[in-house]
Amino acid sequence: MTVIELGLREHESEPEAEPSRPSRARQLRGALAALTVVLVGITGASARPAEPRLTEVAVVPTAPAYRHVISDGVLYSLGAQHGETSRTLTAHDLRDGSVRWAVPVGDNVLNRAGLWVNLFLQVKGDLVLLNSADSTIGVDAASSRTLWTARHRITPTGTDGIGYSSRPVLAGGDGGPVVAPVGDYPPEELRVQLRGFDLTTGAELWVSPPVRSGDSLPGADAALLVVTADHRVEVWDARTGTVRQRITGPDDRPRGVTAGDGLIYVTGVDSTLTAYAVDTLERRWRAPVPPGDGGGMPCGRYVCHWQAAGDRYPDQGRGRTIFLDAADGRPVGGMVDGWAAEERDGHLLMRDDDGKLTRTVDPATGRTLIDLTQWPEPVWSDDRSPTVLMRSGDGPRMWFGVLDPGATAVRIVGSVPHRSYRCQSSATHVACQTAPEELRIWRYH
């Protein structure tokens, strides 16, 4: 086990002037008295050194072309050499890096063209999903047994054992929709086709007609938020593909539809943002928002409505955000430069137009609370984990910090003598690639 240095070293103070002889005598008497107190304390108990804030626990071999993800104390790594068609999925215990199991995963059933494809990892409860652009393998997290394969990229809808896929299609003639080849299409020509799946067996449950969009609906059991071909906003049952509820209103075309924290947010062409309850679709409030490309999204007790920058709206300059109270839609301040990335642990994280973190902000005033320009990239984690940040140091060194709830600055937990990338974190550990065939795991607190 290697102990990594604890953090930034304080500047040492300048040496004091040579003390006088009486001063030396007083210092000696004081030192002897302090030593006596320490020796008496040692007879009662042994002093325990402080635990390092960042400790390396394992070096895990991998392969250059790989993905990894942390979930419930396990590091799942999917490794392969570039050009190879077989991969190895390995489950490592985060506490010491030991291998719980390793199983080869051939992608011959995934790659229709016989070429190398990217695979991605998702973990949902006891199920590990290996996704390519158009296929999925379901693996049991406990036994490593392959449960099923499907010719669709499947995303879980929640904790209900149901998943769905969304595939771009072109609206066909009498023969029905046609799968869209890779390319750019006018919005009026492109649709998506939704399918529901049983995640226990991989069985397909239903298939939809072409719609404009469909995504999992947070806060609802096995539900999808769908915008139909004729621009209606609906909630579908992900088990059956049937319509549960429909938002009724004027025959307009929403510019954007998102959901979170128990509300559905519809951005209208009339420069309004309307909030509906997820369970009843009852309208909670409607608020004016700035015109132009943009949309609303949940940000804790606020709604962040972002406004796009770009050539279509040159007078807007950079991307901007306005914050609304999620309870009633009232604005809590003016426009703030930057994109509201998300709310984490009470902090509102802002990004620039390049997607880099810049600061945390007070939504009422737009004032910067914590400057994050030296910590532009958060380490990926699930919503239950602290916000871990990283930055480059001098030479081959990376620093890690944590944005604690209520913090007024980034708490530095330590550095590692490696260039680190593709990092993942949990509430206790960070794992990063530090070489083409090497993963390292650190414990932090």
Side-chain angles (χ1 to χ4, degrees), residues 4 59 66 122 144 162 178 211 230 238 270 288-289 292 302 322 330 336 348 382 394 397 435:
I4 308 300
V59 181
Y66 89 100
Q122 301 180 72
S144 76
I162 303 297
V178 178
V211 298
D230 59 353
D270 57 349
V289 292
Y302 303 103
I322 188 170
R330 295 182 180 179
V336 176
L348 288 167
D382 58 38
D394 296 332
R397 181 169 293 277

Side-chain angles (χ1 to χ4, degrees), residues 311-340:
D311 296 336
R312 289 186 62 187
Y313 305 97
D315 58 316
Q316 294 178 5
R318 296 179 297 174
R320 300 185 295 175
T321 298
I322 188 170
F323 297 93
L324 309 175
D325 190 316
D328 55 20
R330 295 182 180 179
V332 297
M335 296 295 293
V336 176
D337 285 340
W339 306 84

